[in-house]
Amino acid sequence: MNNINKDNLALRVAYVFESILAMVVLLAVFLGTIDVLRMIWNAYIVDFQNPVEYSQLNDMLGQILLLVIAVELVVMLSLHIPGAIIEVLLYAIARKMLLLPKSGGMAEVLLGVIAIAGIFAIRKYLITDDNSNMNVTSIHFDNSKDEVYDNKEEVSEDA
């Protein structure tokens, strides 16, 4: 909300509503996580005598990756940067590729690889370096990078 007119009531209400929707998605992710844990419990603990079938594991992976996409969607709603949108698209395409049916052909895999390569090309060539390609990982690790560079400068000054 730094770049917008803070006196505009409609924009402030939209921002608050967007934040509420992000919280609703987080609640759904939390409940979905409980469901995934229940699926794992039933497959591996309750029915431990029978091996887990491909379809069961495929369903679990699908649920987990869907939860990851939902978390990335919350990040995208919160940060408002192009890098967050790229992350959501990457996870969505990766989920689609990992959950291809056994009978799926190589054409679908090839299309997925081309789509991921296109997203990486967009990230490299079209997104500028003014923190618009920032993601959750870079937010958490930016301080550690700065500390490493500060320590290197201190060492070089002492030498």
Side-chain angles (χ1 to χ4, degrees), residues 109-130:
V109 174
L110 180 64
L111 285 174
V113 169
I114 291 170
I116 288 178
I119 288 177
F120 279 127
I122 289 169
R123 177 187 248 171
K124 180 170 176 74
Y125 296 112
L126 297 180
I127 296 180
T128 61
D129 290 332
D130 58 353

Side-chain angles (χ1 to χ4, degrees), residues 30-100:
F30 176 72
L31 295 174
T33 302
I34 294 172
D35 191 40
V36 167
L37 292 175
R38 185 184 51 80
M39 288 170 61
I40 292 171
W41 177 266
N42 287 336
Y44 288 101
I45 306 299
V46 173
D47 195 19
F48 69 92
Q49 294 174 345
N50 297 326
V52 176
E53 295 178 11
Y54 175 81
S55 63
Q56 286 178 301
L57 186 61
N58 202 12
D59 290 343
M60 281 188 269
L61 282 176
Q63 287 288 99
I64 291 169
L65 289 172
L66 189 61
L67 294 175
V68 169
I69 291 169
V71 170
E72 288 295 326
L73 181 67
V74 170
V75 170
M76 181 186 76
L77 289 172
S78 302
L79 291 181
H80 297 136
I81 55 175
I85 297 170
I86 298 291
E87 298 260 336
V88 171
L89 289 173
L90 277 173
Y91 282 119
I93 293 169
R95 178 183 186 269
K96 183 68 176 170
M97 285 181 62
L98 288 173
L99 299 179
L100 284 174

